Amino acid sequence: MVIETNSPEETFRTGKELGEKAVPGQVFTLTGDLGVGKTVFTQGLAKGLGIEEPVNSPTFTIVQVYDGGRLPFYHFDVYRIGDVEEMDEVGFEDYVMGDGVSLIEWANLIEEILPEKRTDILIEKDLERGFDYRRITIDQTR
């Protein structure tokens, strides 16, 4: 499925709609260049899960846990990971196999340990279509 958005608010709303439909154990992977709106999308997904606290990218902690919604939300940012084995140290498998919802930014960096059953999301911009234009590709076939 491809969704086109033309503002950060629309990107947020797309994430929120996915969060509202998310089920226990669901894993989302999120890829895209710097500045495409991954954090805005993630904030929307968290809002859809009923998370009211501020959601920011956990760049220096690898994972941020939010328990205040209808399901626990595990937000990973693996941009700065040096070795995939670091994921064991943070309990990656326990999170993604648990009853919460996991979202993994920069998931392409840990491809070899991602669960087969997941929803892959790619956010791309196209400046020819406008500064705020985003193409969000959601692959739920896995």
Side-chain angles (χ1 to χ4, degrees):
M1 165 183 5
V2 175
I3 298 169
E4 295 177 321
T5 65
N6 292 291
S7 69
E9 293 80 15
E10 288 179 16
T11 299
F12 180 94
R13 189 168 41 248
T14 300
K16 184 175 184 249
E17 289 169 1
L18 280 179
E20 290 168 346
K21 297 174 188 173
V23 297
Q26 189 157 11
V27 176
F28 295 95
T29 66
L30 184 56
T31 55
D33 292 336
L34 287 169
V36 296
K38 292 186 299 294
T39 300
V40 168
F41 180 91
T42 301
Q43 291 168 338
L45 191 133
K47 188 69 163 182
L49 288 169
I51 309 255
E52 295 297 330
E53 65 187 284
V55 173
N56 294 301
S57 200
T59 301
F60 296 103
T61 59
I62 300 178
V63 63
Q64 182 68 44
V65 177
Y66 300 92
D67 288 319
R70 66 178 178 84
L71 294 169
F73 178 46
Y74 312 124
H75 179 199
F76 292 86
D77 184 330
V78 299
Y79 182 72
R80 296 189 187 281
I81 195 164
D83 188 315
V84 76
E85 290 176 7
E86 289 179 49
M87 298 307 288
D88 288 337
E89 295 171 19
V90 299
F92 178 74
E93 190 170 304
D94 293 333
Y95 288 116
V96 299
M97 299 304 207
D99 291 331
V101 173
S102 298
L103 182 135
I104 307 156
E105 291 189 50
W106 300 99
N108 54 305
L109 300 176
I110 60 166
E111 182 76 33
E112 61 268 29
I113 64 168
L114 294 174
E116 285 187 33
K117 185 177 180 184
R118 63 183 191 257
T119 302
D120 293 329
I121 301 164
L122 171 64
I123 303 178
E124 301 169 289
K125 54 183 169 177
D126 181 349
L127 293 177
E128 291 181 10
R129 308 245 345 235
F131 182 77
D132 289 326
Y133 172 85
R134 299 295 184 266
R135 179 183 311 107
I136 303 170
T137 304
I138 303 170
D139 181 3
Q140 298 176 315
T141 59
R142 296 178 181 211

